[in-house]
Amino acid sequence: MRPFTYERATDAQSAVRAAVETPGARFIAGGTNLLDLMKLEIEQPQHLIDVGRLPMAGIESLADGGLRIGGAATNTAVASDPAVRARFPVLSEAIVAGGSPQLRNKASVAGNLMQRTRCAYFYDTAKPCNKRAPGSGCGALEGLNRNAAIFGASHACVATHPSDMAVALAALDARIETLTPSGESRSFTILDLHRLPGETPQIETHLIAGELITAVVLPPPPPGGQVYRKVRDRASYAGGLASVAVAGGQVALGMVAHKPWRAAEAEGALASGASPAEAIARELDGASTLGRNDFKVPLVARLVAAAIGEANGRGA
Amino acid sequence: MQTTITVNGQARALDIDPRTTLLDALREHLRLTGSKKGCDHGQCGACTVLVNGVRINSCLSLAVMHDGDQVTTIEGVGTPEALHPVQTAFLTQDAYQCGYCTPGQICSTLGLLRELEAGVPSQETPAGARPVLSDAEIRERMSGNICRCSAYPQIVAAIRDAAGSMA
Amino acid sequence: MSSVHDWTPTNPVKENRSGLIGKPVDRYEGPLKVTGTAPYAYEVQTPSPPAYGVMVGATIATGRITGVDIAEAEATAGVLIVWTHLNAPTQAPRGTKVHPRSSAGSKPALENDRVTYFGQPVALVVGETLEAATAGAHRVKLTYAEDHPDVDFRARLDAAVSPVGEEDVEIGNFARGFTESPVQLDQTWHTPIQNHCQMEPCASTVWFEGGKCVAHTSVQMVKPAQHGLAETIGIPRDDVHLMTRYIGGGFGGKGQTYDDLVLAALAARALGRPVKVAFTRQQMMHGTIHRPATVMRVRLGAEKDGRLNAMSMMTWTHCHRDGNFTEHASNFSRALYAAPNRLTGHRLVKLDLPGAGPMRAPGEASGTLSLECAMDELAEQLGLDPVELRIRNEPPTDPENGRPFSMRQLVRCLREGAQMFGWDRRLPTPGLVRDGRWLVGMGMAAAIRGNFLLPAKCSFTVDADGVITVKQGMTDIGTGTYTVLAQIAAETLGVPLGQVRVEIGDSELPPAPGSGGQFGAATAGSAALAAGQNLRTAIAELATGDEASPLFGGRPVDVTFQDGLVAIGNRSEALAELIRRAAPEGLTVEGEIRPAADAREWSQQTYGAHYCEVGVDPVTGEVRVRRMLGVFAAGRILNAKTARSQLTGGMIWGVGSALTEGNAVDPRYGSLINQDLAQYLVPVQADIGDLEAIMLDEVDDKANPMGVKGVGELGNSGAGAAVANAIYNACGVRVRDYPITPDKLLAGLIARGL
């Protein structure tokens, strides 16, 4: 790691101020992804602002039947929360499908959203990667791209977002609350948090410099059953090949795009009476593959149809 | 940077490089080498320790992030002369071979038992249900600790034994 | 010792009066391992604070280093040394053996500007702290003239040739036998590169003390490590004291040393202080050896009753450009099934990939993944039960050379396994059993692995407290060596286990070959038995010649050893008392074992049968191993507990090779793409359902004086094939390109209309 300085933030306002005033500053909470990348010098912050102990780890029920989850809440805390398990089971299921218990005990909700791709070409600093080294090219495009995106990729980047939790949040229409460096709060849908790669895959979110995710707000759950399903190469502790979160008629896909992919086409078809298989087929009309990830199209088709069926069963 | 961490019940004041991970602080500065470095990236679990009673990967945490924390390492669990029931169970069930992942497995077991008690779900827990100590739950919850010697069946047996003897 | 017949018909291990041989006792070093107090190589206490070395790997696969810029690295705070090939200390040229009997020659690090594989160590940075050294290592800037790497194995099969000095083995006339067979099978299987992924990355801690180099490293074989280091850094062999007392997994990958050892020694010498160097997990993938990929073509020709008329297994594989390792995946098939017409052989192509080398059950691990699936496919073609097909092809003698088997209980393994597993509940037609979202199927496979004995020595000391100390330059890589040596010593001398100390993993102890090829327990244990017998003789002579002993005047051959006593009939005294009085300084003897000259007159193998039940999700192609049983026959078992762990561990390796493990090569860069444990997927707990290993009673008198054989690799042999066959039975899809991941299975499921 390159040398850096470290401070433990005392409150969110001073944290965001420090983040813009200190060159090369980054927030750290759990650190499970940031330190992973710092050790490889893929991330090279000059200053770390530890927001992990700020009083924003609470989970509170809202009057409208929704839930506010503090950005510093651990993944385990969210997955275990009785209200989450009772009303937003897809979120709990998604979280426990990711990482290991040790990682979930440490990783924060905000950090989970901010985690970076597991693309092998991003991790190997000897390889070209436009996300890690803009302009160097994309090693995965013509490489071993079994895990590559099938939606929304560009010639510059075919990486996927690895989060399980974010897929459930996308299906649940979660909103992100932030604090900007000027001290203002903002709120926007999770679908507006992450970007598609385009020509600038190194820019992964719409957050502005120094902006801190303070909470995730869940609106009341949509009517209907909820299910999270993830397919991976081993039974646990592995990144996914594809995943799906279903919450009533709302469907989001994981590990298929640079962001959690809300399956709007499929949802529209479902709403107009299409079968789950027809609905997801409509969504997959927009998919494009690279060869080694061709299998993701039938995999997603089958997985989503099965998951919708399962959710319908649970909702009945 | 000045940092004080209570390790195995003892306050340890460190003047430490901010880059030093909790794992390296334990191994290289405090000479508590029971916590192992298998991957240094949170991919194997050999470095598992308990921080304030909760299991984490000590390789993916900076020592300075733990100022004021209570850390329990394998050295604080038991000694060769006075084994903890989980250690005894690992010994008698032969729940290890080379022994390198073992401290992490044992610390992880302690974390697992506590998480079960607290009702933390896993992907094996039926929706809405309280988790129980089934083989499937043990297997899922111990999947963050790789054992390349593959003592997995013996580890499940050891955890069942230990949970029984600690109950 | 010239003949297996010279081995005494009875010995203390065979008599087993105290019952310690075979007993499932806890591991000798277990209390240290479960408390984290066993020091592995990077953790040994150094006489003064160590400096930390970090290696830098090449970022090309083949070419030359044309530019070196170490200014920034050297200027990094806390950095003490930055070495590349330009300024590394002089080492003996590669392969130098100043001492003609060195078991390894010089292996210089940072040798020259040539890069021959991706990740090859090309620089070392030593710092006051690990953080400083790591930061410095990132600041080393090298430029390269890159050659095009020749690494695409499957594209280079045409260039493969017979390994030097090897010819195909043909018995009878395979081509005719195959053509004339009414039932034929001709299929090809692929296995990928695999990595050992020992939990402890290779590491060394070295310092100099009174002119002597004290080196702790993680290695399976002591003497070659000691000799190789001495030859490389140019000091007498006896001036290297090499220790490897606790080893965090080996599996063949630590059968040799790597540059961490030499670089730690050179840096320790240059700095005059201890230096520690470890591989990172990422560096392990390229920087140490791997199991090479294979392409295996199996052809079977059978009569309609299932008897094989022709059998051929040809393996294509690869090794490093400068290497000569061959993955002999076809060899095991030579001893497995009867068939009058046989053709087996290997083709090797040299590539610009890292070093290929042995990995747990080299040969069998890959080879059974094809032949044992081919047998499953043939059984289906014949409408025969796969167990029955194997039994019908059981050879009376070794089918290649006609030699008698020293001991062969394969059929018993097959039959007892089938019964214990409930094989009769298997439906031969695939895809008929469902449990929730899972299609359920059963598969089986045979296991075979050769058995060897190598020369070894061992010393036993009895001291005035009656404590027996076993000393041997042997290693324990998790195999149970410490424990079985303690059991042999306690049983031989008739003392409780608590009265035995075991010291191994040290170059200054009587030499033993180390751990590998599942020869460890038999070899080290046989030398220990010899030492024990020699110590018994010495003690017996001492007692019968000592006027103060109640045994005085008796015949040494009549002395018995039990319960801490030496006795002749009802005359006895405590062993400790005798030694305290008659040999207060203690007694030390050596024992030695050598292979019998006629050992090869018998075909010697270990055997087993695997049974596996899997679930396949027909929607996603996910596979789960629900339960698995292995039944094994491998000679006398020294410790039922540690042997079982070895076998179940091997079986799980089979699960990994069937389902998840493989390093993919990106031919553009000449490198493996998955470089860590998040991307190279070894099995985790959740992958393994109910799994059990059963060991049949057996004593193989042709193997060694104890009648024991190895188990460390046997469990791996065939296990993956049983998984693959179960997948087919579950869903009707054969995937012949390992590992069988959901994407590959999905294609077949869709094709089957599932």
Side-chain angles (χ1 to χ4, degrees), chain A residues 6 8 30 50 53 106, chain B residues 3-6 21-22 49 51-52 56-58 60-71:
Chain A
Y6 169 91
R8 191 179 281 183
D50 189 345
R53 305 205 189 200
K106 189 97 185 336
Chain B
T3 298
T4 301
I5 308 174
T6 301
T21 61
L22 177 58
V49 300
V51 174
N52 304 325
I56 65 160
N57 300 112
S58 63
L60 284 188
S61 206
L62 297 170
V64 293
M65 293 163 72
H66 293 283
D67 189 43
D69 279 344
Q70 303 271 343
V71 175

PDB file of all heavy atoms in Angstrom, chain A residues 6 8 30 50 53 106, chain B residues 3-6 21-22 49 51-52 56-58 60-71:
ATOM      1  N   TYR A   6      -4.804   8.605   8.375  1.00  0.00           N
ATOM      2  CA  TYR A   6      -6.074   8.005   8.811  1.00  0.00           C
ATOM      3  C   TYR A   6      -6.706   8.883   9.863  1.00  0.00           C
ATOM      4  O   TYR A   6      -6.015   9.400  10.749  1.00  0.00           O
ATOM      5  CB  TYR A   6      -5.789   6.618   9.383  1.00  0.00           C
ATOM      6  CG  TYR A   6      -6.973   5.989  10.106  1.00  0.00           C
ATOM      7  CD1 TYR A   6      -7.888   5.183   9.433  1.00  0.00           C
ATOM      8  CD2 TYR A   6      -7.160   6.184  11.480  1.00  0.00           C
ATOM      9  CE1 TYR A   6      -8.965   4.603  10.087  1.00  0.00           C
ATOM     10  CE2 TYR A   6      -8.232   5.600  12.145  1.00  0.00           C
ATOM     11  CZ  TYR A   6      -9.128   4.811  11.445  1.00  0.00           C
ATOM     12  OH  TYR A   6     -10.184   4.232  12.095  1.00  0.00           O
ATOM     13  N   ARG A   8     -10.456   9.107  12.290  1.00  0.00           N
ATOM     14  CA  ARG A   8     -11.766   8.552  12.605  1.00  0.00           C
ATOM     15  C   ARG A   8     -12.733   9.723  12.681  1.00  0.00           C
ATOM     16  O   ARG A   8     -12.557  10.629  13.508  1.00  0.00           O
ATOM     17  CB  ARG A   8     -11.707   7.804  13.936  1.00  0.00           C
ATOM     18  CG  ARG A   8     -12.947   6.976  14.189  1.00  0.00           C
ATOM     19  CD  ARG A   8     -12.860   6.218  15.490  1.00  0.00           C
ATOM     20  NE  ARG A   8     -12.040   5.022  15.377  1.00  0.00           N
ATOM     21  CZ  ARG A   8     -11.867   4.169  16.387  1.00  0.00           C
ATOM     22  NH1 ARG A   8     -12.425   4.407  17.564  1.00  0.00           N
ATOM     23  NH2 ARG A   8     -11.122   3.105  16.227  1.00  0.00           N
ATOM     24  N   GLY A  30     -16.360  -0.649   6.684  1.00  0.00           N
ATOM     25  CA  GLY A  30     -15.878  -2.009   6.924  1.00  0.00           C
ATOM     26  C   GLY A  30     -14.486  -2.185   6.334  1.00  0.00           C
ATOM     27  O   GLY A  30     -13.589  -2.757   6.945  1.00  0.00           O
ATOM     28  N   ASP A  50     -12.502   7.309   8.454  1.00  0.00           N
ATOM     29  CA  ASP A  50     -13.243   6.157   8.957  1.00  0.00           C
ATOM     30  C   ASP A  50     -14.619   6.607   9.428  1.00  0.00           C
ATOM     31  O   ASP A  50     -14.756   7.303  10.447  1.00  0.00           O
ATOM     32  CB  ASP A  50     -12.451   5.510  10.107  1.00  0.00           C
ATOM     33  CG  ASP A  50     -13.050   4.180  10.534  1.00  0.00           C
ATOM     34  OD1 ASP A  50     -14.198   3.886  10.159  1.00  0.00           O
ATOM     35  OD2 ASP A  50     -12.352   3.446  11.265  1.00  0.00           O
ATOM     36  N   ARG A  53     -17.854   4.281  12.563  1.00  0.00           N
ATOM     37  CA  ARG A  53     -18.449   4.394  13.909  1.00  0.00           C
ATOM     38  C   ARG A  53     -19.387   5.587  14.041  1.00  0.00           C
ATOM     39  O   ARG A  53     -19.796   5.928  15.150  1.00  0.00           O
ATOM     40  CB  ARG A  53     -17.341   4.491  14.949  1.00  0.00           C
ATOM     41  CG  ARG A  53     -16.389   3.322  14.824  1.00  0.00           C
ATOM     42  CD  ARG A  53     -15.687   3.018  16.104  1.00  0.00           C
ATOM     43  NE  ARG A  53     -14.643   2.030  15.820  1.00  0.00           N
ATOM     44  CZ  ARG A  53     -14.087   1.257  16.718  1.00  0.00           C
ATOM     45  NH1 ARG A  53     -14.439   1.353  17.983  1.00  0.00           N
ATOM     46  NH2 ARG A  53     -13.151   0.383  16.372  1.00  0.00           N
ATOM     47  N   LYS A 106     -18.503  -7.382   8.860  1.00  0.00           N
ATOM     48  CA  LYS A 106     -17.650  -6.204   8.794  1.00  0.00           C
ATOM     49  C   LYS A 106     -18.162  -5.205   7.775  1.00  0.00           C
ATOM     50  O   LYS A 106     -18.104  -3.990   7.994  1.00  0.00           O
ATOM     51  CB  LYS A 106     -16.241  -6.669   8.399  1.00  0.00           C
ATOM     52  CG  LYS A 106     -15.165  -5.631   8.493  1.00  0.00           C
ATOM     53  CD  LYS A 106     -14.433  -5.786   9.806  1.00  0.00           C
ATOM     54  CE  LYS A 106     -13.404  -4.709  10.068  1.00  0.00           C
ATOM     55  NZ  LYS A 106     -12.849  -4.017   8.940  1.00  0.00           N
TER      56      LYS A 106
ATOM     57  N   THR B   3      -2.293   3.630  18.845  1.00  0.00           N
ATOM     58  CA  THR B   3      -3.521   2.840  18.863  1.00  0.00           C
ATOM     59  C   THR B   3      -3.473   1.897  20.053  1.00  0.00           C
ATOM     60  O   THR B   3      -2.427   1.293  20.304  1.00  0.00           O
ATOM     61  CB  THR B   3      -3.640   2.002  17.574  1.00  0.00           C
ATOM     62  OG1 THR B   3      -3.706   2.884  16.473  1.00  0.00           O
ATOM     63  CG2 THR B   3      -4.874   1.122  17.585  1.00  0.00           C
ATOM     64  N   THR B   4      -4.572   1.809  20.764  1.00  0.00           N
ATOM     65  CA  THR B   4      -4.627   0.845  21.858  1.00  0.00           C
ATOM     66  C   THR B   4      -5.737  -0.167  21.585  1.00  0.00           C
ATOM     67  O   THR B   4      -6.884   0.207  21.376  1.00  0.00           O
ATOM     68  CB  THR B   4      -4.870   1.552  23.207  1.00  0.00           C
ATOM     69  OG1 THR B   4      -3.790   2.486  23.421  1.00  0.00           O
ATOM     70  CG2 THR B   4      -4.896   0.527  24.347  1.00  0.00           C
ATOM     71  N   ILE B   5      -5.334  -1.414  21.542  1.00  0.00           N
ATOM     72  CA  ILE B   5      -6.289  -2.495  21.284  1.00  0.00           C
ATOM     73  C   ILE B   5      -6.200  -3.454  22.462  1.00  0.00           C
ATOM     74  O   ILE B   5      -5.098  -3.800  22.896  1.00  0.00           O
ATOM     75  CB  ILE B   5      -5.944  -3.247  19.982  1.00  0.00           C
ATOM     76  CG1 ILE B   5      -5.782  -2.262  18.817  1.00  0.00           C
ATOM     77  CG2 ILE B   5      -7.009  -4.290  19.663  1.00  0.00           C
ATOM     78  CD1 ILE B   5      -5.289  -2.906  17.528  1.00  0.00           C
ATOM     79  N   THR B   6      -7.333  -3.848  22.962  1.00  0.00           N
ATOM     80  CA  THR B   6      -7.322  -4.849  24.027  1.00  0.00           C
ATOM     81  C   THR B   6      -7.348  -6.218  23.375  1.00  0.00           C
ATOM     82  O   THR B   6      -8.323  -6.588  22.719  1.00  0.00           O
ATOM     83  CB  THR B   6      -8.524  -4.666  24.966  1.00  0.00           C
ATOM     84  OG1 THR B   6      -8.442  -3.341  25.526  1.00  0.00           O
ATOM     85  CG2 THR B   6      -8.494  -5.686  26.092  1.00  0.00           C
ATOM     86  N   THR B  21      -2.292  -3.992   8.850  1.00  0.00           N
ATOM     87  CA  THR B  21      -3.588  -4.627   9.069  1.00  0.00           C
ATOM     88  C   THR B  21      -3.661  -5.145  10.498  1.00  0.00           C
ATOM     89  O   THR B  21      -2.635  -5.335  11.168  1.00  0.00           O
ATOM     90  CB  THR B  21      -3.799  -5.809   8.116  1.00  0.00           C
ATOM     91  OG1 THR B  21      -2.781  -6.773   8.364  1.00  0.00           O
ATOM     92  CG2 THR B  21      -3.742  -5.373   6.658  1.00  0.00           C
ATOM     93  N   LEU B  22      -4.864  -5.394  10.933  1.00  0.00           N
ATOM     94  CA  LEU B  22      -5.020  -5.995  12.264  1.00  0.00           C
ATOM     95  C   LEU B  22      -4.265  -7.317  12.309  1.00  0.00           C
ATOM     96  O   LEU B  22      -3.597  -7.641  13.302  1.00  0.00           O
ATOM     97  CB  LEU B  22      -6.512  -6.208  12.558  1.00  0.00           C
ATOM     98  CG  LEU B  22      -6.836  -6.884  13.888  1.00  0.00           C
ATOM     99  CD1 LEU B  22      -6.274  -6.110  15.076  1.00  0.00           C
ATOM    100  CD2 LEU B  22      -8.347  -7.076  14.034  1.00  0.00           C
ATOM    101  N   VAL B  49     -10.624 -13.596  13.528  1.00  0.00           N
ATOM    102  CA  VAL B  49     -10.539 -13.299  14.962  1.00  0.00           C
ATOM    103  C   VAL B  49     -11.901 -12.731  15.376  1.00  0.00           C
ATOM    104  O   VAL B  49     -12.756 -12.441  14.535  1.00  0.00           O
ATOM    105  CB  VAL B  49      -9.436 -12.272  15.294  1.00  0.00           C
ATOM    106  CG1 VAL B  49      -8.063 -12.784  14.856  1.00  0.00           C
ATOM    107  CG2 VAL B  49      -9.734 -10.916  14.658  1.00  0.00           C
ATOM    108  N   VAL B  51     -13.771  -9.639  17.079  1.00  0.00           N
ATOM    109  CA  VAL B  51     -13.647  -8.248  17.504  1.00  0.00           C
ATOM    110  C   VAL B  51     -14.939  -7.875  18.215  1.00  0.00           C
ATOM    111  O   VAL B  51     -16.016  -7.953  17.618  1.00  0.00           O
ATOM    112  CB  VAL B  51     -13.376  -7.317  16.307  1.00  0.00           C
ATOM    113  CG1 VAL B  51     -13.410  -5.860  16.758  1.00  0.00           C
ATOM    114  CG2 VAL B  51     -12.021  -7.641  15.686  1.00  0.00           C
ATOM    115  N   ASN B  52     -14.817  -7.535  19.460  1.00  0.00           N
ATOM    116  CA  ASN B  52     -15.987  -7.285  20.302  1.00  0.00           C
ATOM    117  C   ASN B  52     -16.972  -8.453  20.203  1.00  0.00           C
ATOM    118  O   ASN B  52     -18.182  -8.262  20.131  1.00  0.00           O
ATOM    119  CB  ASN B  52     -16.652  -5.952  19.930  1.00  0.00           C
ATOM    120  CG  ASN B  52     -15.658  -4.792  20.010  1.00  0.00           C
ATOM    121  OD1 ASN B  52     -14.778  -4.787  20.885  1.00  0.00           O
ATOM    122  ND2 ASN B  52     -15.761  -3.844  19.101  1.00  0.00           N
ATOM    123  N   ILE B  56     -14.484 -11.625  12.346  1.00  0.00           N
ATOM    124  CA  ILE B  56     -14.173 -10.874  11.120  1.00  0.00           C
ATOM    125  C   ILE B  56     -12.863 -11.406  10.533  1.00  0.00           C
ATOM    126  O   ILE B  56     -12.141 -12.153  11.181  1.00  0.00           O
ATOM    127  CB  ILE B  56     -14.006  -9.353  11.368  1.00  0.00           C
ATOM    128  CG1 ILE B  56     -12.781  -9.087  12.261  1.00  0.00           C
ATOM    129  CG2 ILE B  56     -15.270  -8.740  11.955  1.00  0.00           C
ATOM    130  CD1 ILE B  56     -12.270  -7.665  12.164  1.00  0.00           C
ATOM    131  N   ASN B  57     -12.578 -11.011   9.298  1.00  0.00           N
ATOM    132  CA  ASN B  57     -11.284 -11.304   8.683  1.00  0.00           C
ATOM    133  C   ASN B  57     -10.304 -10.216   9.114  1.00  0.00           C
ATOM    134  O   ASN B  57     -10.431  -9.064   8.697  1.00  0.00           O
ATOM    135  CB  ASN B  57     -11.397 -11.295   7.153  1.00  0.00           C
ATOM    136  CG  ASN B  57     -12.387 -12.309   6.620  1.00  0.00           C
ATOM    137  OD1 ASN B  57     -13.414 -11.953   6.086  1.00  0.00           O
ATOM    138  ND2 ASN B  57     -12.071 -13.565   6.781  1.00  0.00           N
ATOM    139  N   SER B  58      -9.326 -10.588   9.925  1.00  0.00           N
ATOM    140  CA  SER B  58      -8.414  -9.549  10.428  1.00  0.00           C
ATOM    141  C   SER B  58      -7.478  -9.024   9.351  1.00  0.00           C
ATOM    142  O   SER B  58      -6.839  -7.993   9.527  1.00  0.00           O
ATOM    143  CB  SER B  58      -7.617 -10.068  11.630  1.00  0.00           C
ATOM    144  OG  SER B  58      -6.797 -11.151  11.264  1.00  0.00           O
ATOM    145  N   LEU B  60      -8.509  -7.956   6.491  1.00  0.00           N
ATOM    146  CA  LEU B  60      -9.205  -6.874   5.784  1.00  0.00           C
ATOM    147  C   LEU B  60      -9.632  -5.779   6.750  1.00  0.00           C
ATOM    148  O   LEU B  60     -10.737  -5.245   6.650  1.00  0.00           O
ATOM    149  CB  LEU B  60     -10.406  -7.423   5.016  1.00  0.00           C
ATOM    150  CG  LEU B  60     -10.082  -8.178   3.730  1.00  0.00           C
ATOM    151  CD1 LEU B  60     -11.354  -8.509   2.952  1.00  0.00           C
ATOM    152  CD2 LEU B  60      -9.139  -7.387   2.819  1.00  0.00           C
ATOM    153  N   SER B  61      -8.775  -5.486   7.691  1.00  0.00           N
ATOM    154  CA  SER B  61      -9.062  -4.421   8.619  1.00  0.00           C
ATOM    155  C   SER B  61      -7.734  -3.796   9.020  1.00  0.00           C
ATOM    156  O   SER B  61      -6.733  -4.504   9.134  1.00  0.00           O
ATOM    157  CB  SER B  61      -9.774  -4.988   9.856  1.00  0.00           C
ATOM    158  OG  SER B  61     -10.552  -4.005  10.463  1.00  0.00           O
ATOM    159  N   LEU B  62      -7.740  -2.498   9.209  1.00  0.00           N
ATOM    160  CA  LEU B  62      -6.508  -1.838   9.641  1.00  0.00           C
ATOM    161  C   LEU B  62      -6.457  -1.842  11.174  1.00  0.00           C
ATOM    162  O   LEU B  62      -7.488  -1.663  11.833  1.00  0.00           O
ATOM    163  CB  LEU B  62      -6.472  -0.403   9.129  1.00  0.00           C
ATOM    164  CG  LEU B  62      -6.448  -0.262   7.603  1.00  0.00           C
ATOM    165  CD1 LEU B  62      -6.650   1.199   7.210  1.00  0.00           C
ATOM    166  CD2 LEU B  62      -5.140  -0.807   7.022  1.00  0.00           C
ATOM    167  N   ALA B  63      -5.270  -1.991  11.693  1.00  0.00           N
ATOM    168  CA  ALA B  63      -5.137  -1.982  13.153  1.00  0.00           C
ATOM    169  C   ALA B  63      -5.693  -0.688  13.731  1.00  0.00           C
ATOM    170  O   ALA B  63      -6.369  -0.688  14.764  1.00  0.00           O
ATOM    171  CB  ALA B  63      -3.666  -2.161  13.536  1.00  0.00           C
ATOM    172  N   VAL B  64      -5.442   0.422  13.037  1.00  0.00           N
ATOM    173  CA  VAL B  64      -5.887   1.710  13.581  1.00  0.00           C
ATOM    174  C   VAL B  64      -7.412   1.832  13.631  1.00  0.00           C
ATOM    175  O   VAL B  64      -7.944   2.660  14.368  1.00  0.00           O
ATOM    176  CB  VAL B  64      -5.301   2.912  12.788  1.00  0.00           C
ATOM    177  CG1 VAL B  64      -3.791   2.981  12.978  1.00  0.00           C
ATOM    178  CG2 VAL B  64      -5.649   2.807  11.301  1.00  0.00           C
ATOM    179  N   MET B  65      -8.078   1.017  12.871  1.00  0.00           N
ATOM    180  CA  MET B  65      -9.540   1.034  12.919  1.00  0.00           C
ATOM    181  C   MET B  65     -10.067   0.366  14.196  1.00  0.00           C
ATOM    182  O   MET B  65     -11.267   0.405  14.464  1.00  0.00           O
ATOM    183  CB  MET B  65     -10.134   0.317  11.690  1.00  0.00           C
ATOM    184  CG  MET B  65      -9.892   1.034  10.369  1.00  0.00           C
ATOM    185  SD  MET B  65     -10.168  -0.039   8.928  1.00  0.00           S
ATOM    186  CE  MET B  65     -11.952  -0.199   8.950  1.00  0.00           C
ATOM    187  N   HIS B  66      -9.176  -0.269  14.946  1.00  0.00           N
ATOM    188  CA  HIS B  66      -9.614  -1.033  16.116  1.00  0.00           C
ATOM    189  C   HIS B  66      -9.188  -0.406  17.440  1.00  0.00           C
ATOM    190  O   HIS B  66      -9.200  -1.081  18.461  1.00  0.00           O
ATOM    191  CB  HIS B  66      -9.134  -2.478  15.992  1.00  0.00           C
ATOM    192  CG  HIS B  66      -9.817  -3.169  14.858  1.00  0.00           C
ATOM    193  ND1 HIS B  66     -11.111  -3.622  14.944  1.00  0.00           N
ATOM    194  CD2 HIS B  66      -9.422  -3.388  13.576  1.00  0.00           C
ATOM    195  CE1 HIS B  66     -11.467  -4.127  13.771  1.00  0.00           C
ATOM    196  NE2 HIS B  66     -10.464  -3.988  12.927  1.00  0.00           N
ATOM    197  N   ASP B  67      -8.823   0.864  17.397  1.00  0.00           N
ATOM    198  CA  ASP B  67      -8.497   1.568  18.636  1.00  0.00           C
ATOM    199  C   ASP B  67      -9.689   1.447  19.586  1.00  0.00           C
ATOM    200  O   ASP B  67     -10.817   1.783  19.223  1.00  0.00           O
ATOM    201  CB  ASP B  67      -8.208   3.045  18.310  1.00  0.00           C
ATOM    202  CG  ASP B  67      -7.660   3.785  19.513  1.00  0.00           C
ATOM    203  OD1 ASP B  67      -6.791   3.215  20.205  1.00  0.00           O
ATOM    204  OD2 ASP B  67      -8.126   4.914  19.768  1.00  0.00           O
ATOM    205  N   GLY B  68      -9.429   0.903  20.747  1.00  0.00           N
ATOM    206  CA  GLY B  68     -10.496   0.779  21.733  1.00  0.00           C
ATOM    207  C   GLY B  68     -11.286  -0.516  21.655  1.00  0.00           C
ATOM    208  O   GLY B  68     -12.154  -0.758  22.494  1.00  0.00           O
ATOM    209  N   ASP B  69     -10.986  -1.352  20.661  1.00  0.00           N
ATOM    210  CA  ASP B  69     -11.742  -2.596  20.509  1.00  0.00           C
ATOM    211  C   ASP B  69     -11.176  -3.720  21.379  1.00  0.00           C
ATOM    212  O   ASP B  69     -10.015  -3.699  21.777  1.00  0.00           O
ATOM    213  CB  ASP B  69     -11.716  -3.060  19.038  1.00  0.00           C
ATOM    214  CG  ASP B  69     -12.735  -2.317  18.189  1.00  0.00           C
ATOM    215  OD1 ASP B  69     -13.637  -1.689  18.763  1.00  0.00           O
ATOM    216  OD2 ASP B  69     -12.608  -2.364  16.949  1.00  0.00           O
ATOM    217  N   GLN B  70     -12.044  -4.708  21.596  1.00  0.00           N
ATOM    218  CA  GLN B  70     -11.654  -5.943  22.288  1.00  0.00           C
ATOM    219  C   GLN B  70     -11.452  -7.006  21.220  1.00  0.00           C
ATOM    220  O   GLN B  70     -12.396  -7.368  20.522  1.00  0.00           O
ATOM    221  CB  GLN B  70     -12.785  -6.406  23.213  1.00  0.00           C
ATOM    222  CG  GLN B  70     -13.237  -5.402  24.253  1.00  0.00           C
ATOM    223  CD  GLN B  70     -12.446  -5.532  25.525  1.00  0.00           C
ATOM    224  OE1 GLN B  70     -11.787  -6.551  25.756  1.00  0.00           O
ATOM    225  NE2 GLN B  70     -12.485  -4.509  26.360  1.00  0.00           N
ATOM    226  N   VAL B  71     -10.238  -7.499  21.110  1.00  0.00           N
ATOM    227  CA  VAL B  71      -9.939  -8.521  20.102  1.00  0.00           C
ATOM    228  C   VAL B  71      -9.613  -9.838  20.806  1.00  0.00           C
ATOM    229  O   VAL B  71      -8.820  -9.853  21.752  1.00  0.00           O
ATOM    230  CB  VAL B  71      -8.753  -8.086  19.212  1.00  0.00           C
ATOM    231  CG1 VAL B  71      -8.354  -9.205  18.248  1.00  0.00           C
ATOM    232  CG2 VAL B  71      -9.104  -6.817  18.440  1.00  0.00           C
TER     233      VAL B  71
END
